[in-house]
Amino acid sequence: MNTSTQQTTNTQQFYNDVMAGLQASPKYMQSKYFYDTAGDKLFQDIMNCEEYYPTNCEMEIFAEQTEGLANAILVGGDGFDLIELGAGDATKSSHLLKHLLNKKVDFTYLPIDISGHVIDYLNSTLPVTLPGLQINGLNGDYFDMLKEAAKRSNRRKVVLFLGSNVGNMPVSAAEKFCKELRNHLSPGDMALLGIDLKKNPKTILAAYNDKAGITKRFNLNLLERINRELNADFNLSQFDHYPTYDPETGSCKSYLVSLVDQSVIINGAEPIHFLKNEHIFMEISQKYTIEQTDDLAKTSGFRTDGHFYDKKQWFLDVVWIAV
Ligand code: AVI
């Protein structure tokens, strides 16, 4: 498929998903659409803001416990493929890559990302910053690319899925995802997942309700994206950001709330009506207990082999072995 055909397909899919979500009751959006160019930048700002702790916690684990992480994944032996789902700029994993290179470990790094720009960037920059790195970036859907990786080599696989991205799925979907991940692996292959833990509810809520209002802008940016890419007329000032955290379930959820009765037209279709105070569900960021992560491993066909925490014990990186 050429780039412009792909673009048209993506826009059509975006439109279908937005319409399905806004015609549903209650209304919802898919958080994967947060990440256009402006959304990527806002997410960078979130990661740098004082209240958003997950990135710093996981960075601390990768920077200060690199040897432990490396030893955990080397248990299965030398000569493996290190696959990273949603690699982004690979800042955290670079600590691990550097350590493995210094130890002269035989491995190939295969970052997978839905963004072609991310893969081009990693393919061109990492071999410069990490001389000797064997890198083979794959652009596409996670599971399609895992299949591709399996076709290209039959070496042992270690899959990284960092940043608490698994938290952006409800628990049942996370289970389904982990089972599917397991189905793409063979016994002895490994997964290293970053998972945000339950903690003081105020700490969690503050992370999604920063004082500077960056998370609010991050949520509103999706409406702006719909205006721009799908020819819609959302009035952003008529929506407010409403984050919640339920300590019982561990679900942190973000909503946009309509401040007035209003209608929005998307690409000339039938207007979408919003009642005053009606909400749109935007995103879940699920928090887990340690026991829940062990259960998640078990139900999806893995055995837990390691737990790595930051000093505050706010964040957990688990090492799972496929059984
Ligand atoms: C990408 N993901 C793990 C972030 C999270 O914490 O759920 C996205 C995010 N949304 C608002 N702040 C950060």
Side-chain angles (χ1 to χ4, degrees):
M1 214 184 287
N2 69 37
T3 323
S4 91
T5 318
Q6 180 67 55
Q7 188 62 39
T8 311
T9 313
N10 292 348
T11 305
Q12 186 62 49
Q13 187 64 51
F14 180 33
Y15 175 77
N16 293 347
D17 288 343
V18 166
M19 292 307 275
L22 293 181
Q23 285 167 346
S25 180
K27 295 179 170 59
Y28 67 89
M29 300 246 177
Q30 295 188 28
S31 60
K32 66 175 179 184
Y33 290 119
F34 280 152
Y35 303 92
D36 65 345
T37 308
D40 283 344
K41 166 80 180 69
L42 285 163
F43 185 51
Q44 286 294 332
D45 294 345
I46 288 175
M47 290 193 289
N48 289 326
C49 86
E50 203 187 313
E51 296 95 334
Y52 191 76
Y53 60 83
T55 309
N56 290 343
C57 290
E58 194 173 39
M59 195 67 84
E60 179 201 306
I61 296 171
F62 271 75
E64 296 182 15
Q65 299 180 62
T66 329
E67 177 142 28
L69 289 169
N71 289 343
I73 63 175
L74 282 169
V75 160
D78 211 355
F80 61 92
D81 291 333
L82 184 61
I83 300 172
E84 180 162 9
L85 307 181
D89 61 6
T91 318
K92 293 171 202 155
S93 39
S94 287
H95 289 283
L96 188 59
L97 301 176
K98 196 170 172 194
H99 184 89
L100 294 172
L101 287 169
N102 287 342
K103 290 194 94 179
K104 310 238 176 309
V105 172
D106 171 22
F107 75 102
T108 304
Y109 178 56
L110 295 101
I112 296 180
D113 208 287
I114 198 75
S115 156
H117 297 296
V118 165
I119 295 304
D120 291 345
Y121 171 81
L122 293 176
N123 273 337
S124 61
T125 58
L126 285 190
V128 179
T129 51
L130 297 170
L133 179 73
Q134 300 215 47
I135 177 168
N136 202 341
L138 298 171
N139 169 216
D141 172 84
Y142 291 163
F143 292 121
D144 290 345
M145 292 304 110
L146 272 178
K147 239 181 249 155
E148 180 62 31
K151 255 192 259 160
R152 291 188 188 188
S153 116
N154 54 13
R155 303 216 291 183
R156 186 169 78 85
K157 307 269 179 273
V158 178
V159 178
L160 308 181
F161 190 42
L162 308 182
S164 189
N165 283 315
V166 73
N168 293 132
M169 305 173 210
V171 174
S172 57
E175 259 178 46
K176 197 166 159 258
F177 177 89
C178 292
K179 279 181 187 158
E180 192 166 353
L181 174 61
R182 170 64 191 85
N183 288 340
H184 282 79
L185 301 176
S186 305
D189 286 347
M190 288 179 167
L192 199 171
L193 271 75
I195 302 177
D196 195 16
L197 295 174
K198 284 186 170 183
K199 61 186 65 61
N200 188 316
K202 287 186 180 170
T203 305
I204 293 177
L205 190 58
Y208 295 85
N209 197 22
D210 63 283
K211 286 200 208 83
I214 306 165
T215 311
K216 176 178 175 173
R217 291 208 293 284
F218 180 63
N219 278 268
L220 287 173
N221 177 62
L222 179 45
L223 303 189
E224 207 166 323
R225 177 177 185 187
I226 296 170
N227 281 351
R228 197 176 47 247
E229 292 184 23
L230 301 179
N231 185 27
D233 60 358
F234 276 105
N235 179 343
L236 272 54
S237 66
Q238 296 186 162
F239 289 87
D240 198 9
H241 170 234
Y242 180 68
T244 67
Y245 175 64
D246 175 2
E248 279 185 28
T249 60
S251 296
C252 183
K253 292 181 179 173
S254 290
Y255 299 91
L256 285 177
V257 176
S258 174
L259 297 175
V260 293
D261 275 326
Q262 56 183 319
S263 294
V264 172
I265 296 178
I266 304 177
N267 203 30
E270 278 289 290
I272 309 275
H273 298 289
F274 294 86
L275 296 172
K276 183 176 179 181
N277 296 327
E278 186 177 353
H279 64 271
I280 315 172
F281 167 69
M282 302 297 286
E283 184 184 43
I284 184 166
S285 300
Q286 180 66 36
K287 312 304 173 191
Y288 286 86
T289 63
I290 298 156
E291 296 71 31
Q292 282 173 319
T293 72
D294 291 344
D295 288 347
L296 182 58
K298 219 177 279 167
T299 49
S300 30
F302 291 95
R303 167 170 70 74
T304 302
D305 195 52
H307 288 146
F308 293 85
Y309 306 92
D310 61 298
K311 289 191 196 88
K312 293 191 199 123
Q313 303 226 337
W314 282 1
F315 198 92
L316 170 63
D317 277 288
V318 290
V319 177
W320 292 351
I321 303 186
V323 286

